[in-house]
Amino acid sequence: MNHGTAGVKVISILGEDYSIKAPAGEEQTLLDAALMLKAALADTKKKYPTLIGDRLLVLAAMNLCSQQIEMKKQHQQELERYQEQVSATVETIAKTINQG
């Protein structure tokens, strides 16, 4: 069974090279993820210049996770607002129909 070729990409993080096998079609996602992590690391390093190695990596990862949680919360709130608007619209339509 051939699921297409998986590409091995070498990603350099904090001077360490990691050979990561990306599933077929996921190479770009892997590269984007690496870029995002590098940006988070650079950002964290700016705020905490003394941090190195694992500590820097963990803090950067925590920041990314926090952002992810915030985005989920915002998305959920937007979804709820949207559903409220839809419900209000449906109620208005229902009233209009009932009056008819």
Side-chain angles (χ1 to χ4, degrees), residues 1-73:
M1 278 173 69
N2 189 5
H3 293 291
T5 53
V8 174
K9 298 281 178 210
V10 176
I11 308 285
S12 182
I13 305 284
L14 298 177
E16 294 280 331
D17 284 350
Y18 299 90
S19 296
I20 304 176
K21 190 179 282 188
E26 295 292 319
E27 290 88 356
Q28 193 54 52
T29 304
L30 176 64
L31 293 175
D32 289 347
L35 278 175
M36 188 186 266
L37 180 55
K38 282 182 183 183
L41 284 165
D43 198 40
T44 307
K45 187 74 176 165
K46 249 185 267 172
K47 289 179 194 157
Y48 307 97
T50 56
L51 281 184
I52 54 166
D54 287 353
R55 289 175 182 274
L56 178 61
L57 202 52
V58 167
L59 195 58
M62 289 296 289
N63 283 338
L64 284 173
C65 292
S66 301
Q67 287 170 22
Q68 189 66 28
I69 290 166
E70 276 306 309
M71 278 164 54
K72 273 188 180 167
K73 271 192 216 161

